[in-house]
Amino acid sequence: MKPLLRPLVIATALSLSFATLLVACSKPEEPPAAMAAAKAQPFETVRTLGKGFTVGALMSTNTVYVLFDPQCPHCGHLWNATLPLQNKVKFVWMPVSFLSAKSLPQGAALLAAADPAQAMSAHEQLLLSGQGGMSASASVPQELEQAIKTNTQLLDSLGVDSVPFIVAKHAGTGRVVTSGGAMDTGALADLLGVDRP
């Protein structure tokens, strides 16, 4: 091979190698099918894939799903806002874990609690008073760890990157409603289509 052609051949080979690497590492232009499905039908996706603890009107047909991180103070404020509505609505609180190393163990402790409503109230009181929430063992059973990881992936598949995140159906219209962030009881009642307390 002639000396001038060798650099050309090497440069061509390298550019083909880099092109192959770029194709293999590039982010897809369209969202994966699971993410597209989750965004298209968030209520059904959360209902069928998420795991949480149920509080409120357990026999109610009006179910509200709340994805929350146990270390999130905004989630604590939303918890307090839901208390006056718990005689009208069934809430399913689904812990996720991305804010702190405490999130996963605390979420597992809440899921495993004999009385999740009492445990959540005590936890949120400690969290909102600046004490970091409930103490929880770092040794988390595998099934609870997997449930929380699934909830976290579910939140991600919805294209949401903050908590709390609500997925529900409006009581009056049956239309799926979603909302991110904390709100007061009146605004939450309006979102859900139930009478204000």
Side-chain angles (χ1 to χ4, degrees):
M1 183 177 291
K2 292 184 180 181
L4 291 176
L5 288 178
R6 187 172 297 164
L8 182 60
V9 170
I10 292 171
T12 304
L14 286 174
S15 67
L16 289 174
S17 296
F18 287 131
T20 303
L21 288 174
L22 291 176
V23 170
C25 295
S26 65
K27 185 176 178 183
E29 291 183 16
E30 294 185 7
M35 185 178 286
K39 286 181 178 179
Q41 296 190 340
F43 187 85
E44 286 305 312
T45 302
V46 171
R47 184 183 70 77
T48 57
L49 299 179
K51 180 172 172 80
F53 60 89
T54 304
V55 296
L58 300 182
M59 300 305 287
S60 174
T61 58
N62 191 3
T63 304
V64 177
Y65 298 98
V66 183
L67 292 141
F68 77 103
D69 190 300
Q71 283 292 291
C72 168
H74 302 291
C75 298
H77 291 298
L78 184 63
W79 169 261
N80 289 334
T82 67
L83 297 176
L85 299 177
Q86 288 187 4
N87 64 338
K88 302 174 183 192
V89 178
K90 174 172 50 176
F91 290 92
V92 179
W93 287 78
M94 300 177 164
V96 301
S97 173
F98 67 88
L99 291 178
S100 154
K102 290 182 176 183
S103 299
L104 180 67
Q106 288 176 340
L110 291 167
L111 286 175
D115 184 349
Q118 187 278 331
M120 183 73 163
S121 287
H123 167 73
E124 296 302 350
Q125 184 177 11
L126 289 169
L127 184 70
L128 293 174
S129 67
Q131 299 177 52
M134 69 190 326
S135 61
S137 170
S139 176
V140 176
Q142 179 62 33
E143 73 177 45
L144 294 179
E145 181 178 351
Q146 187 54 53
I148 294 168
K149 286 181 176 179
T150 298
N151 288 347
T152 306
Q153 291 168 350
L154 179 58
L155 182 72
D156 197 39
S157 74
L158 293 169
V160 178
D161 60 1
S162 64
V163 286
F165 188 72
I166 298 169
V167 180
K169 287 187 178 179
H170 189 277
T173 65
R175 181 177 54 88
V176 173
V177 294
T178 61
S179 179
M183 61 184 75
D184 64 27
T185 303
L188 181 58
D190 293 345
L191 175 73
L192 304 176
V194 296
D195 293 334
R196 288 177 174 236

